[in-house]
């Protein structure tokens, strides 16, 4: 066997010996030297600590056995077991009855297991756990309010109702929510109708006929009379002797277009509810059984209610958005009160999204079609000439509604970085108003974000700016 082989064998054996050797576990102890205690004795609940004294003692006593239990291991060693959170005193007496020392014993909750559970349940959260008298103190910076709630709930398992929360939520915790309502409504209506009137008179009486709607034949001097609601009408009438004949042709086409756009913005702290109303309140009377009239107010306009919660990098958002306006076409009249109805578009949902992301929480495409045909019985079925005894109209309405929400994590900014619509203009002087006819004077701040926006005119973008 060569020297090189012997060296390799020796190193290998040394490695195995080192791996097999396990140093003995050091027991947690407190030493009493010359009657002086090094520190207060802290004992976790349901765990034990050994107290060693360099002076042999003859007698031991514990002030409150309900907090800690003691037993003698030797004439210089004491076994202290924590039973309940609290403070008590351990007294050591010498054989001659003199006092060796008093040891302050503090039994605290076992935070070691709590630390392990927190690392398992909330990995990555920097939560510090400390015992405090008979309770637990939690401190550190976490990523969300939900992490704080979970940590407190877990700590209450170890120290019920004795948990002090000193934790803080790090990062941005303010959410600005932008809601966009976009609605397009189109309506088309067409109608075509024919009305005829025939009247004849004689010495012994008269005979007459009227078909369709929109005209009738009065006296000979009156001719053809149009109804007040008749639109797009062409009338033709003639008479011969005592016989008069009139034809009324009604042709009408109407088109309508409505565009609605609303963009409410609202900022709130994570976990806090916020509401927004831009509109008004409509009085609605109500009569009780005794005849008394009470008035309550219904809000209308742009309504936004939201509760954001920042969970790590995500934003959990519970919101209700609504756009409404008074609609007199669906009102009622009762007991002398005229009450209008409301045209409302709303959506309520809970979504989760990241900073700057958007969701379409509502979308509606509606297409309504209705037609109506009226005719004089039998005469309307006659080919060609039957059209003179028929009327027809149809109506089509289309509407499209989309509600989009966008969430942003925001932080406060300096006041000079914000601009208002009123920053652009200022009231004119009397000379400018009366002599020159100027109703508004452009105000142009020199510096800041407000100045940049104020330099724009009303032909471009306007509003407020956040930097």
């Amino acid at each position: 066997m060569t020297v090189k082989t012997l060296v390799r064998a020796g190193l290998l054996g040394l490695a195995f010996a080192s791996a097999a050797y396990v140093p003995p576990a050091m027991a947690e102890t407190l030493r009493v030297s010359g009657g002086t205690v090094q520190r207060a004795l802290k004992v976790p609940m349901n765990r034990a600590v050994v107290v060693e004294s360099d002076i042999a003692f003859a007698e031991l006593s514990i002030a409150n056995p309900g907090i800690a239990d003691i037993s003698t291991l030797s004439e210089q060693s004491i076994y202290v077991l924590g039973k309940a959170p609290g403070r008590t005193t351990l007294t050591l007496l010498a054989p001659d009855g003199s006092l060796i020392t008093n040891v302050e014993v503090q039994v605290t909750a076992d935070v070691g297991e709590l630390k392990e559970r927190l690392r398992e349940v909330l990995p990555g959260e920097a939560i510090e756990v400390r015992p405090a008298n008979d309770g637990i103190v939690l401190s550190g910076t976490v990523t969300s309010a939900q992490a704080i709630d979970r940590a407190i709930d877990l700590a209450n398992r170890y120290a019920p109702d004795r948990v002090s929360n000193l934790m803080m939520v790090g990062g941005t915790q303010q959410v600005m929510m932008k809601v966009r309502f976009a609605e397009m409504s189109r309506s088309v209506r067409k109608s075509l109708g024919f009305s005829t009137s025939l009247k004849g008179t004689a010495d012994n009486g008269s005979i007459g006929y009227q078909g369709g709607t929109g005209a009738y034949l009065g006296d000979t001097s009156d001719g053809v009379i149009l109804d007040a609601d008749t639109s797009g009408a062409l009338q033709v009438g003639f008479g011969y002797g005592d016989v008069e004949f009139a034809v009324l042709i009604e042709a009408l086409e109407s088109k309508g277009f409505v565009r609605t756009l609303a963009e409410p913005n609202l900022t709130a702290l994570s976990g806090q509810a916020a509401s927004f109303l831009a509109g008004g309140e409509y009085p609605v009377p109500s009569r009780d059984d005794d005849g008394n009239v009470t008035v309550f107010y219904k809000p209308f306009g742009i309504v936004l209610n939201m509760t954001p919660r920042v969970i790590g990098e995500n934003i959990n958002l519970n919101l209700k958005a609504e756009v409404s306006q008074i609609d007199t076409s669906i009102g009622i009249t009762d007991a002398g009160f005229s009450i209008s109805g409301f045209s409302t578009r709303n959506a309520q949902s809970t979504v989760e999204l990241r900073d700057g992301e958007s969701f379409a929480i509502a979308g509606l495409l509606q297409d309504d079609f209705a037609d109506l045909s009226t005719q004089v019985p039998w005469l309307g079925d006659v080919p060609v000439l039957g059209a003179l005894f028929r009327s027809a109209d149809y109506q089509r309405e289309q509407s499209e509604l989309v509600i989009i929400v966008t969430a942003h994590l925001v932080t406060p900014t300096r006041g000079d970085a914000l601009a208002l619509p009123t920053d652009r203009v200022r009231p004119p002087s009397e000379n400018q108003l009366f002599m020159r006819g100027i109703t508004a004077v452009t105000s142009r701040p020199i510096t800041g974000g407000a100045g940049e926006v104020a330099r724009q005119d009303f032909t471009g973008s306007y509003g407020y700016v956040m930097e």
Side-chain angles (χ1 to χ4, degrees):
M1 180 178 296
T2 63
V3 176
K4 188 175 182 180
T5 304
L6 290 174
V7 173
R8 286 183 177 178
L11 293 175
L12 184 61
L14 181 60
F16 277 112
S18 299
Y21 173 74
V22 178
M26 297 298 293
E28 185 176 356
T29 60
L30 177 68
R31 296 187 181 277
V32 179
S33 301
T36 303
V37 184
Q38 299 172 343
R39 54 181 171 83
L41 179 61
K42 294 184 179 181
V43 184
M45 193 170 57
N46 299 324
R47 294 198 179 186
V49 173
V50 176
V51 178
E52 294 182 350
S53 174
D54 59 353
I55 302 174
F57 54 82
E59 187 177 348
L60 300 173
S61 65
I62 189 78
N64 189 346
I67 294 178
D69 193 10
I70 58 174
S71 60
T72 303
L73 298 178
S74 67
E75 61 181 8
Q76 291 180 302
S77 301
I78 310 164
Y79 184 85
V80 183
L81 174 65
K83 298 175 63 177
R87 291 175 180 266
T88 187
T89 303
L90 171 64
T91 303
L92 284 69
L93 299 176
D96 58 359
S98 61
L99 176 65
I100 298 176
T101 188
N102 285 324
V103 180
E104 181 182 354
V105 179
Q106 181 180 358
V107 179
T108 60
D110 185 9
V111 297
E113 183 180 356
L114 175 58
K115 291 180 180 179
E116 295 178 1
R117 299 290 85 80
L118 287 174
R119 283 194 294 267
E120 295 174 357
V121 176
L122 299 170
E125 300 288 357
I127 301 177
E128 299 179 3
V129 183
R130 297 183 181 89
N133 195 7
D134 60 343
I136 295 175
V137 176
L138 301 179
S139 60
T141 302
V142 297
T143 57
S144 66
Q146 285 69 30
I148 293 180
D149 295 338
R150 293 180 182 179
I152 293 176
D153 182 67
L154 184 58
N156 279 322
R157 303 287 181 177
Y158 295 86
D161 300 325
R162 299 191 304 274
V163 179
S164 298
N165 175 29
L166 300 181
M167 294 180 289
M168 298 183 299
V169 179
T172 302
Q173 295 297 308
Q174 294 185 115
V175 180
M176 184 183 73
M177 220 263 300
K178 178 180 180 181
V179 180
R180 285 177 289 172
F181 295 84
E183 182 180 20
M184 303 284 283
S185 298
R186 296 173 293 272
S187 62
V188 177
R189 180 175 180 178
K190 294 183 180 181
S191 62
L192 179 63
F194 292 90
S195 300
T196 57
S197 296
L198 177 64
K199 183 178 181 181
T201 59
D203 295 338
N204 297 327
S206 63
I207 184 172
Y209 165 78
Q210 181 176 341
T213 59
Y216 68 92
L217 190 63
D219 295 336
T220 305
S221 60
D222 296 334
V224 178
I225 307 299
L226 295 178
D227 288 346
D229 296 334
T230 301
S231 301
L234 173 65
Q235 56 179 344
V236 178
F238 61 90
Y240 182 76
D242 294 332
V243 179
E244 297 179 354
F245 180 75
V247 176
L248 178 69
I249 302 175
E250 294 178 88
L252 181 65
E253 179 179 5
S254 61
K255 296 180 180 180
F257 175 78
V258 178
R259 174 182 179 268
T260 301
L261 177 64
E263 296 188 7
N265 295 332
L266 189 61
T267 302
L269 189 65
S270 175
Q272 302 298 316
S275 61
F276 174 92
L277 171 62
E281 293 185 339
Y282 181 76
V284 179
S286 176
R287 189 187 301 274
D288 58 18
D289 296 336
D290 298 331
N292 299 322
V293 177
T294 58
V295 178
F296 65 94
Y297 291 85
K298 177 179 174 58
F300 68 93
I302 303 172
V303 181
L304 178 60
N305 298 297
M306 76 168 187
T307 303
R309 294 184 183 275
V310 180
I311 306 175
E313 297 180 355
N314 296 331
I315 302 173
N316 185 285
L317 193 61
N318 179 278
L319 77 155
K320 180 180 180 181
E322 178 180 300
V323 172
S324 61
Q325 63 256 7
I326 299 174
D327 189 351
T328 57
S329 64
I330 54 176
I332 62 172
T333 300
D334 184 23
F337 296 107
S338 179
I339 305 173
S340 300
F342 291 85
S343 176
T344 304
R345 285 82 67 204
N346 59 46
Q348 183 174 2
S349 181
T350 300
V351 296
E352 186 171 279
L353 60 169
R354 291 176 178 265
D355 180 22
E357 293 183 340
S358 301
F359 258 125
I361 64 170
L364 173 65
L365 178 62
Q366 186 174 354
D367 191 345
D368 298 330
F369 176 83
D371 60 3
L372 176 66
S373 177
T374 59
Q375 67 177 28
V376 177
W378 302 297
L379 296 179
D381 296 328
V382 176
V384 183
L385 294 179
L388 297 176
F389 304 93
R390 287 197 304 266
S391 297
D393 69 273
Y394 83 88
Q395 183 173 356
R396 185 175 185 178
E397 296 182 355
Q398 294 177 316
S399 63
E400 186 173 1
L401 170 67
V402 176
I403 301 178
I404 299 176
V405 298
T406 305
H408 296 278
L409 293 174
V410 295
T411 56
T413 185
R414 295 178 57 86
D416 57 4
L418 302 177
L420 300 175
T422 54
D423 292 337
R424 283 199 192 87
V425 294
R426 59 181 175 85
S429 64
E430 294 182 356
N431 178 43
Q432 291 171 330
L433 177 61
F434 293 107
M435 301 301 295
R436 301 171 59 187
I438 300 176
T439 58
V441 180
T442 303
S443 178
R444 300 179 181 272
I446 299 176
T447 61
E452 180 65 26
V453 176
R455 280 189 286 271
Q456 303 173 7
D457 55 27
F458 286 99
T459 60
S461 301
Y462 64 93
Y464 59 88
V465 173
M466 298 186 66
E467 295 182 350

